[in-house]
Amino acid sequence: MVRKIESPTRVPVPGGKVIDEHVGRVNSGDEAVSIAHMTAPPGWTEPFQTPEFAEYTVVLRGSVLVEHDGGVVEVGAGQSVVTSPGERIRYSSGPEGAEYVAVCLPAFSPESARRDE
């Protein structure tokens, strides 16, 4: 079945980051996958998390930093990064901020992100 999605749903988050979910639990009711367009201001960061989903991130502009047990990976425009379920990670943006697309399998939910307090 073909489903056209007219527009994303803006998901509120603290810290100035903007999440526009195109496909996922909030906008389309899909639980198998989520696809979101994100924009983060310079220096944005979020708490560490140990998600129950794989995340595939394509950076369109600026850079995304991914802290993990093995160090920090900087992902620039035109590059991608994949994180695995059960891996403790923390995302942040570089000095120019970041614009990126994230795909989560299964779909993102605040509960399945398992963020640190």
Side-chain angles (χ1 to χ4, degrees):
M1 176 173 95
V2 173
R3 292 185 295 153
K4 180 180 179 182
I5 297 169
E6 292 292 335
S7 62
T9 296
R10 182 147 295 168
V11 178
V13 293
K17 179 179 167 183
V18 174
I19 299 175
D20 289 327
E21 182 184 277
H22 288 264
V23 175
R25 297 174 193 270
V26 174
N27 196 52
S28 65
D30 289 274
E31 295 185 6
V33 63
S34 59
I35 304 171
H37 177 244
M38 304 193 195
T39 307
W44 167 84
T45 190
E46 67 182 5
F48 272 97
Q49 59 185 330
T50 308
E52 298 172 359
F53 48 81
E55 187 163 350
Y56 304 83
T57 303
V58 179
V59 179
L60 305 174
R61 181 186 54 77
S63 62
V64 172
L65 300 141
V66 183
E67 294 177 64
H68 57 98
D69 289 340
V72 178
V73 173
E74 183 174 0
V75 187
Q79 298 179 323
S80 303
V81 64
V82 178
T83 60
S84 300
E87 184 173 18
R88 187 169 184 264
I89 55 174
R90 178 166 70 173
Y91 293 97
S92 60
S93 63
E96 298 176 5
E99 179 182 2
Y100 56 103
V101 173
V103 176
C104 298
L105 294 170
F108 172 88
S109 74
E111 300 77 28
S112 66
R114 300 187 327 179
R115 289 193 173 104
D116 289 2
E117 295 294 323

